[in-house]
Amino acid sequence: MASDGQKVVLITGCSSGIGLRIAVMLAKDEKKRYHVIATMRDLKRKDKLVEAAGDAYGNTLTLQTLDVCSDESVKHCISSVKDRHIDVLINNAGIGLVGPLESISIDEMKNVFETNFFGVVRMIKEVMPDMKRRRGGHIIIVSSVMGLQGVVFNDVYAASKFAMEGFCESLAVQLLKFNVTVSMIEPGPVHTEFEAKMVEDVSRKEFPGTDPETVQYFKNVYLPSSVDIFETLGQTPDDIARCTKKVIEASRPRFRNLTNPLYTPIVALKYADETGGLSVRTFYHVLFNLGALMHVAMKALRCVTCGCLRGRTVSPD
């Protein structure tokens, strides 16, 4: 139970990765300003979080079961919080999907939207009336640069993030009237077990229904390039947690918070040409004409940056 003066922070998707690190960082705040309710679908997966939280577990951090794809689970979780009082909601739960479109079933696509988009909508719908009534609250969504700029072979994942960005951008205007703030956290590549496992899994798939040329480019060009980009530009879950904490503590939190300055020029391509042709042609040439050269360029960039820029986060102030 939160002490007087503590902000109640509820976070979805805390069994690993970004959600776990945000939960631990806030729970271990030196000034003990937060009471963290860390949630996950299956509490059998709590061990990593409990170990990382240490003494904070049971004090400034508690656990709850929550499946963002279930209306009943969402209502039960929020209702279990004292007075339904949540100061900060952090929507982090999400799943990925990568590969040639021809081999992805409609059910797989619906599953991505069910978690990445409708999961966020469910959470916001459940906490928003209480925040509006109290005239205060902060809703944070862990989005992605792929919610701003589409990336080849990530069609469905990017679409789910685009949908979430548009939903939240629209809602943010209304909620300002009630002193409720909406903030987007927009990482580029992040080193997590989730990403590593996904790359490993798709590299072994056959992709039935997809033409051989597309499969070849996906496996022999896109996947190696993706690994290079993650190794060169990738941040850690702690980097994203630090950025999120800054946004929570900012006097005037930004709506959009790109976490990785090395990725900003890629997003900027989209806005440099109102026709959209510049970014489409650039990505085409990078993938299909400069694949080998990009591998060399990424290695060179790794040497030049030495990791010093990869950990930088955008200041919300």
Side-chain angles (χ1 to χ4, degrees), residues 185-202:
I185 308 295
E186 295 157 328
V190 181
H191 296 291
T192 65
E193 294 176 8
F194 165 79
E195 296 291 348
K197 187 177 186 304
M198 186 169 65
V199 170
E200 181 183 347
D201 289 346
V202 298

Side-chain angles (χ1 to χ4, degrees), residues 114-153:
E114 191 63 54
T115 301
N116 294 359
F117 178 68
F118 289 109
V120 171
V121 174
R122 281 188 188 90
M123 294 302 301
I124 292 176
K125 277 175 63 69
E126 194 63 28
V127 304
M128 184 176 69
D130 297 305
M131 288 183 171
K132 289 170 73 174
R133 188 163 49 251
R134 292 196 309 269
R135 299 280 172 167
H138 197 171
I139 297 170
I140 296 175
I141 299 92
V142 179
S143 180
S144 168
V145 292
M146 287 195 215
L148 303 173
Q149 171 67 63
V151 174
V152 64
F153 291 121

Side-chain angles (χ1 to χ4, degrees), residues 145 147-149 162 165 169 186 256 258 264-276 278-279:
V145 292
L148 303 173
Q149 171 67 63
F162 264 75
E165 290 270 346
E169 187 172 329
E186 295 157 328
R256 285 203 166 89
L258 286 163
T264 304
I266 298 174
V267 177
L269 279 175
K270 179 175 181 177
Y271 300 99
D273 172 20
E274 71 277 9
T275 71
L278 177 61
S279 61

